[in-house]
Amino acid sequence: MKHYMNNFSHTEERVYVKFYETMTKYKGKLVKKLIFVFVLLSIFSCSDYIDKPKNLIDQEVMAEVMADLMINDQANFVYPDKNMEAGTRFILKSHNVKPDDFIESFKYYVIKEKMQDIANDAQEILLKKDPKAAQYVKDKLKQNGNTPTLVR
């Protein structure tokens, strides 16, 4: 430390040494306080994991789109070698939903843990559209026993 102080006067040297001793003495406490402040700032500054999308699709519309997409998905079993992308585009266009808005809304609802409710609403829409499917589901549940819903 002496070789750094060759250009200082005696008073400046004492001030520097006193400052250096104080800093080394309180360094541990200062670091702990700074870490505590940064942890508090990070906790309170991040209230949401994701921002609400600019063009968020309403949950009811999202459920309707999901129900139609489920029907379109079943067409893959009937026509396994066909490209069903046109059907997906038609569904989104018929609900006046842009693909990017659908993706952003989907991500938002998944992170906000609202997708389970939307999926249940979509299933109810499907069962209303096809009452035979509702009976088929009830019969399968009786046959296999009530299977629990999948929850993360």
Side-chain angles (χ1 to χ4, degrees):
M1 186 163 84
K2 286 284 186 185
H3 58 82
Y4 290 117
M5 293 186 219
N6 291 339
N7 297 332
F8 292 130
S9 69
H10 186 64
T11 308
E12 290 173 334
E13 184 178 339
R14 281 192 308 190
V15 170
Y16 180 76
V17 169
K18 185 68 173 169
F19 175 75
Y20 181 77
E21 289 172 353
T22 306
M23 287 303 296
T24 55
K25 181 178 177 183
Y26 294 109
K27 184 178 177 183
K29 291 179 184 179
L30 180 65
V31 169
K32 288 179 185 177
K33 286 181 182 180
L34 284 174
I35 290 173
F36 179 73
V37 167
F38 285 125
V39 167
L40 283 179
L41 284 174
S42 65
I43 288 172
F44 290 113
S45 66
C46 300
S47 60
D48 284 339
Y49 293 117
I50 189 170
D51 293 331
K52 189 174 182 179
K54 184 178 177 182
N55 297 325
L56 182 66
I57 300 169
D58 185 53
Q59 288 186 13
E60 293 173 9
V61 174
M62 191 74 165
E64 292 171 7
V65 171
M66 295 283 291
D68 289 343
L69 288 173
M70 287 180 212
I71 292 170
N72 185 52
D73 188 51
Q74 292 304 308
N76 286 328
F77 291 110
V78 178
Y79 305 106
D81 296 333
K82 302 294 180 183
N83 184 358
M84 297 296 166
E85 187 176 331
T88 302
R89 278 191 253 124
F90 174 77
I91 291 167
L92 293 175
K93 189 174 182 180
S94 68
H95 290 283
N96 296 320
V97 173
K98 294 178 182 173
D100 292 337
D101 294 343
F102 178 79
I103 292 169
E104 292 302 315
S105 297
F106 186 86
K107 289 178 189 176
Y108 177 79
Y109 288 132
V110 167
I111 290 174
K112 289 294 190 173
E113 297 179 359
K114 296 181 181 181
M115 190 49 72
Q116 183 68 34
D117 296 333
I118 294 171
N120 289 339
D121 293 344
Q123 185 175 8
E124 288 178 23
I125 291 169
L126 285 174
L127 295 177
K128 286 179 186 175
K129 285 184 177 184
D130 189 4
K132 291 180 183 178
Q135 188 59 42
Y136 177 79
V137 169
K138 287 178 186 176
D139 292 342
K140 283 294 184 182
L141 286 175
K142 285 180 186 176
Q143 187 179 37
N144 297 334
N146 285 339
T147 56
T149 56
L150 297 175
V151 179
R152 285 186 177 196

